[in-house]
Amino acid sequence: SGELTLIPELQSDPRLADNPACAQARSFVGVPVPFPDGEIMAVLCAFTPKGSEPLHLADADRALLSQLATQAGVLLHSRKLK
């Protein structure tokens, strides 16, 4: 699986500062969703609204998001097999 990506301040990130999709958001977090064989098939992501505090995640939060993404991959893979 891949690494969690956290961008606390979207407008300060040169990759996203001018992206219209990020205009109403403050922070972004994304976690790769792997199939059981390790192939990345999607990204579980969340945004915080503009005007909110910058997002900061504790290690436990990061672990929980990774577990959720892994479980999503298992469930999506099982549907793919049907």
Side-chain angles (χ1 to χ4, degrees):
S1 69
E3 293 290 318
L4 178 140
T5 299
L6 174 62
I7 304 172
E9 295 279 354
L10 288 170
Q11 279 64 41
S12 298
D13 189 300
R15 300 168 295 177
L16 300 166
D18 296 327
N19 186 326
C22 299
Q24 297 302 313
R26 173 97 186 238
S27 303
F28 167 86
V29 61
V31 185
V33 176
F35 276 150
D37 66 3
E39 177 186 0
I40 303 301
M41 55 85 50
V43 175
L44 173 69
C45 61
F47 292 89
T48 61
K50 194 172 190 175
S52 63
E53 292 294 316
L55 183 62
H56 299 284
L57 297 175
D59 289 343
D61 298 325
R62 291 169 182 266
L64 184 61
L65 285 170
S66 293
Q67 291 170 0
L68 182 60
T70 298
Q71 184 62 33
V74 168
L75 292 171
L76 289 169
H77 186 282
S78 69
R79 291 190 56 102
K80 178 181 171 186
L81 296 176
K82 290 182 182 182

